[in-house]
């Protein structure tokens, strides 16, 4: 998990297995769905994401998770979404180019007929910069990326 680029030989050496045995185990973990993919973590600002927030979503009545999932899939700026305990029905992790873009995303979310209210918290800095949440998996829309 620490480095997806580690070779099977390096892993095998660290845990006392041959590279062939490690490959077989990794293949089994992929087939069983334990390993879901291999990704690169990229500095969000390099991809055009300069604003980040968490948004609590409060729904009218009981909005089923399936319906919430349909809504969040329509917003590429939502990088993670989950149902939660407590007062809110869901928590969304949102990345945007800037504050104006974030406001536009928030208005699109609020336009859903079953959304009663939202509460947003802007991210100022990441205290664990090596965490997956600190990285981005896709560029911001409209070619805002600053990749050199």
């Amino acid at each position: 998990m620490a480095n997806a680029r580690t070779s099977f030989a390096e892993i095998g050496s660290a845990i006392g297995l041959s590279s062939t045995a490690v490959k077989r185990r990794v293949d089994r973990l992929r087939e069983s769905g334990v390993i879901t993919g291999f990704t690169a973590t990229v500095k969000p600002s390099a991809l055009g994401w300069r604003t980040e927030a968490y948004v609590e979503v409060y729904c009218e009545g009981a909005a089923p998770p399936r319906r919430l999932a349909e809504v969040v899939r329509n917003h590429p700026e939502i990088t993670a979404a989950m149902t939660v305990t407590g007062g809110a029905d869901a928590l969304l992790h949102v990345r945007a180019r800037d504050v104006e873009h974030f406001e536009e995303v928030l208005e699109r979310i609020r336009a859903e007929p079953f959304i009663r209210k939202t509460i947003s918290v802007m991210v100022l800095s990441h205290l664990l910069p090596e965490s997956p949440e600190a990285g981005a998996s896709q560029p911001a829309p409209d070619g805002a990326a600053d990749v050199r």
Side-chain angles (χ1 to χ4, degrees), residues 63-100:
R66 187 175 46 244
R67 178 66 181 117
L68 285 167
E70 290 171 12
V71 168
V72 299
R73 282 191 194 101
N74 292 329
H75 304 281
E77 299 88 352
I78 298 174
T79 62
M82 58 285 302
T83 55
V84 294
T85 62
D89 293 293
L91 182 65
L92 312 178
H93 182 209
V94 177
R95 290 195 188 272
R97 290 185 308 273
D98 50 35
V99 173
E100 291 79 17

Side-chain angles (χ1 to χ4, degrees), residues 84-143:
V84 294
T85 62
D89 293 293
L91 182 65
L92 312 178
H93 182 209
V94 177
R95 290 195 188 272
R97 290 185 308 273
D98 50 35
V99 173
E100 291 79 17
H101 180 209
F102 173 72
E103 184 176 22
E104 183 260 317
V105 172
L106 196 55
E107 290 305 315
R108 281 191 275 132
I109 293 167
R110 289 177 176 162
E112 294 295 333
F114 62 89
I115 303 294
R116 181 172 48 90
K117 77 173 184 174
T118 62
I119 297 177
S120 304
V121 179
M122 301 297 286
V123 174
L124 299 177
S125 64
H126 283 270
L127 301 177
L128 300 173
E130 65 282 351
S131 71
E133 292 79 12
S137 60
Q138 65 181 13
D142 299 333

Side-chain angles (χ1 to χ4, degrees), residues 10 13 15 17 19 61 99 114 142:
E10 290 174 284
S13 176
I15 62 172
L17 290 174
S19 58
V99 173
F114 62 89
D142 299 333

